[in-house]
Amino acid sequence: MTDEPRPIDCEEALERLYDYLDGELTAARSEQVRRHLERCAPCLKLSKFESAYVRFLEARARTRCAPDHLRRRILERLLFEGGGAEAP
Amino acid sequence: MPDPERSRRTFETQVLPLLDAVYRVALRLAGEELLAEDLVQETMLKAYRAWHQYQPGTNLRAWLLTILRNTFINQYRRRKRAGPHVDVHAIEAHTVFGEVQDVDPEGAFFHRIVDDEVLRAIDALPDEFRETLVLSDVEGLPYAEIAEITDVPVGTVKSRLFRARQALQRTLYQYAVDMGYIRKRDA
């Protein structure tokens, strides 16, 4: 292995874009995408747009919590179940 | 001799912090609050009864969400409100970037869309797209964990997530155009 990763083209970079944004690539592959984006303005713009979109989704969709009455109901049911569970 | 009180406390200490995550996924699978609550309660009881089968040190969240998903498929899917009948292959899966890059290249229009509209759009996705997107973008799970929960290869998770995100993006874009949040590019 050399220090310079193999350059990739736009098609390959965009194919891996979500994997890259999701942190799912190996360090070497991630570096290939990063270097491509550094050199390619149109891909960088698209990458920024998709990144903003994914962050927006995460922020908007993660807002709900389990209601208190459900939490209480479950605790009561567990008490009612008694010693059904054994600690693993 | 096992101490039931201690077992229950161990279960509560480890599992209850994950209740919000289980509830959020249940809500998006079931599509309505009451059904989601029943689904979560059923999941928690099943997990409690099967607690001795859980291997400590393995991924507890994935274990719980697998029980949730199986419970939903086996007992609840039929009761769910009529889901969208969509041909998954007919879904447009390409970015809207080409349409917005001249007017809003950073996607500021997304932020004008209210939470409820985003959730409605997620709920309108076909089942396998919706569950993959929810596990990834609502709960932030890695691909491998989503593959384990949904019982498909990682490659399938990737392709479903790609298509789900792009289809959702197009729906949200169309909504933003309809609401006047963004100007549609002249044809």
Side-chain angles (χ1 to χ4, degrees):
Chain A
M1 281 258 315
T2 59
D3 289 334
E4 278 293 304
R6 176 181 65 83
I8 54 173
D9 60 14
C10 298
E11 194 185 337
E12 208 174 332
L14 297 182
E15 207 172 279
R16 294 185 197 161
L17 184 58
Y18 278 149
D19 302 22
Y20 172 73
L21 296 174
D22 290 335
E24 291 275 350
L25 292 178
T26 60
R29 283 185 177 250
S30 181
E31 182 61 14
Q32 282 179 314
V33 177
R34 197 188 66 75
R35 284 183 183 230
H36 178 84
L37 296 178
E38 223 171 50
R39 288 193 325 266
C40 178
C43 283
L44 180 64
K45 275 188 188 164
L46 173 62
S47 155
K48 282 185 175 166
F49 176 79
E50 293 297 336
S51 169
Y53 165 62
V54 171
R55 281 201 311 268
F56 155 81
L57 275 188
E58 290 168 354
R60 287 308 181 83
R62 240 173 250 183
T63 50
R64 300 291 292 268
C65 293
D68 285 342
H69 66 261
L70 176 63
R71 199 174 290 269
R72 280 198 301 276
R73 209 166 83 192
I74 288 168
L75 283 171
E76 279 164 17
R77 282 302 302 266
L78 293 184
L79 267 177
F80 184 75
E81 284 279 311
E86 279 174 39
Chain B
M1 200 176 145
D3 176 354
E5 179 65 17
R6 195 169 145 267
S7 306
R8 185 172 55 77
R9 288 220 175 115
T10 316
F11 179 84
E12 285 178 11
T13 316
Q14 295 189 36
V15 171
L16 288 187
L18 297 166
L19 187 62
D20 287 338
V22 173
Y23 176 72
R24 278 192 295 264
V25 176
L27 197 54
R28 298 275 74 79
L29 289 182
E32 55 165 289
E33 289 177 6
L34 286 180
L35 209 52
E37 289 181 16
D38 288 349
L39 178 57
V40 171
Q41 179 168 319
E42 186 69 28
T43 299
M44 287 300 177
L45 284 176
K46 279 188 182 167
Y48 185 60
R49 289 169 191 154
W51 189 227
H52 58 283
Q53 290 168 19
Y54 169 69
Q55 304 280 325
T58 59
N59 191 325
L60 180 56
R61 181 175 58 182
W63 186 72
L64 282 173
L65 291 175
T66 304
I67 296 175
L68 172 77
R69 180 176 181 270
N70 291 339
T71 306
F72 173 70
I73 289 173
N74 295 330
Q75 290 170 241
Y76 288 79
R77 187 168 268 176
R78 274 167 295 148
R79 287 166 54 192
K80 193 185 142 224
R81 47 102 180 86
H85 293 285
V86 184
D87 176 4
V88 295
H89 301 290
I91 285 182
E92 258 194 285
H94 59 86
T95 178
V96 303
F97 182 68
E99 280 130 289
V100 305
Q101 61 177 328
D102 296 333
V103 284
D104 187 357
E106 289 176 9
F109 73 89
F110 286 125
H111 296 277
R112 298 187 61 186
I113 302 173
V114 295
D115 291 358
D116 281 354
E117 196 55 42
V118 177
L119 296 176
R120 240 195 310 276
I122 292 175
D123 288 352
L125 290 169
D127 286 349
E128 64 265 46
F129 284 13
R130 191 172 67 251
E131 70 177 6
T132 308
L133 183 124
V134 165
L135 293 172
S136 170
D137 294 339
V138 181
E139 293 312 321
L141 270 48
Y143 296 173
E145 202 172 321
I146 300 172
E148 185 186 334
I149 295 166
T150 56
D151 201 23
V152 294
V154 169
T156 306
V157 170
K158 280 191 199 186
S159 110
R160 283 180 180 174
L161 183 60
F162 175 80
R163 296 174 72 81
R165 279 175 174 171
Q166 300 276 280
L168 184 65
Q169 191 185 74
R170 188 149 293 277
T171 304
L172 295 174
Y173 167 66
Q174 193 52 54
Y175 174 79
V177 168
D178 293 346
M179 296 299 286
Y181 298 156
I182 186 168
R183 189 164 48 82
K184 198 177 174 94
R185 194 178 60 165
D186 298 331

